[in-house]
């Protein structure tokens, strides 16, 4: 069984990609995410049998689910983004969060060009200059909340039922919110999903 600390370190080492969460004029809000192209280099030494899968939940707005399995543990992340690629990166970051990899909470705004994308050169320099500081500054991994794990499973089951019923488009606005940050938020999302299924 791979060491959870080694898994976290490998995922942190892959935190080199920037995903566009939203665009407003010539500005874009970006979030740090693991780079899928470098994951193998970092995860293979930890678990040669690791896997990563994607499911497109919605094309417009772009919402993607990432399913990351390392050391026998599977975690899913759900996120939206400016494009499907951005949503994939953000979903992978969400999945990594459940392995204990925390990314900066505040998503910075940067210059954005429709052809060249976001200008993250200053942010790249910060990430390269302080990888050790970022690792040591992380708080201890929060204890897993069994109620939140249960809420996630219930939401995932409801999303599967809605998709099976052919009502996936009606829930796209909810999938942008993920699973909620508290049990109360998760319950509210579940109730809205229930209403979509019944309606």
């Amino acid at each position: 069984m791979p060491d959870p600390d080694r898994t976290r370190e490998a995922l942190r080492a892959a935190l080199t990609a920037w995903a566009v969460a939203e665009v407003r004029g010539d500005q874009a809000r970006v979030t740090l995410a693991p780079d899928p192209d470098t994951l193998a280099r970092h995860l293979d030494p930890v678990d040669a049998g690791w896997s990563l899968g994607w499911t497109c939940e919605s094309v417009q707005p772009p919402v993607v689910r990432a399913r990351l399995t390392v050391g026998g543990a599977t975690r899913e992340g759900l996120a939206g983004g400016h494009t499907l690629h951005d949503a994939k990166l953000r979903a992978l970051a969400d999945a990594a969060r459940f392995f204990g990899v925390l990314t900066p909470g505040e998503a910075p705004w940067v210059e954005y060009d429709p052809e060249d994308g976001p200008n993250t050169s200053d942010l790249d320099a910060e990430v390269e200059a302080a990888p050790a500081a970022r690792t040591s500054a992380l708080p201890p991994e929060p204890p897993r909340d069994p109620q939140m794990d249960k809420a996630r499973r219930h939401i995932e089951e409801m999303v599967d039922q809605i998709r099976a019923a052919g009502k996936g488009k009606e829930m796209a606005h909810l999938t942008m919110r993920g699973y909620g940050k508290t049990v109360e938020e998760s319950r509210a999302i579940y109730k809205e999903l229930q209403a979509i299924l019944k309606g």
Side-chain angles (χ1 to χ4, degrees):
M1 182 87 165
D3 181 352
D5 290 334
R6 287 187 66 211
T7 299
R8 275 193 294 277
E9 287 308 312
L11 288 168
R12 280 188 195 120
L15 283 174
T16 58
W18 292 99
V20 177
E22 65 177 301
V23 173
R24 291 186 188 163
D26 62 354
Q27 297 285 301
R29 188 167 59 87
V30 295
T31 56
L32 190 59
D35 181 356
D37 296 333
T38 64
L39 270 184
R41 185 175 75 225
H42 296 293
L43 287 177
D44 281 351
V46 176
D47 175 13
W50 73 275
S51 66
L52 174 62
W54 311 96
T55 305
C56 178
E57 298 288 329
S58 167
V59 176
Q60 195 57 42
V63 178
V64 172
R65 182 185 303 274
R67 184 179 178 89
L68 179 62
T69 302
V70 184
T74 299
R75 301 289 180 260
E76 288 193 349
L78 181 71
H82 182 60
T83 65
L84 278 173
H85 177 70
D86 294 314
K88 280 175 70 174
L89 290 176
R90 297 188 75 228
L92 178 55
D94 189 40
R97 187 168 58 86
F98 290 98
F99 282 99
V101 179
L102 303 177
T103 55
E106 188 66 29
W109 287 90
V110 296
E111 293 177 359
Y112 179 80
D113 180 280
E115 290 180 18
D116 299 330
N119 178 2
T120 59
S121 53
D122 291 342
L123 299 175
D124 291 335
E126 285 176 30
V127 169
E128 286 173 20
R134 187 178 73 236
T135 301
S136 62
L138 287 171
E141 182 182 354
R144 294 203 45 97
D145 182 346
Q147 281 190 306
M148 281 302 290
D149 287 345
K150 190 175 177 182
R152 279 178 76 97
R153 283 194 303 275
H154 285 311
I155 288 173
E156 286 168 3
E157 289 166 8
M158 185 61 67
V159 165
D160 290 342
Q161 289 177 36
I162 290 170
R163 254 195 261 117
K167 299 181 176 181
K169 285 186 180 178
E170 296 173 41
M171 67 173 176
H173 70 286
L174 279 176
T175 54
M176 293 288 279
R177 287 164 48 192
Y179 298 95
K181 292 189 171 95
T182 65
V183 174
E184 290 73 26
E185 285 181 24
S186 295
R187 285 185 182 137
I189 291 169
Y190 183 82
K191 284 180 183 174
E192 289 183 60
L193 289 168
Q194 241 180 349
I196 290 170
L197 185 63
K198 290 177 181 172

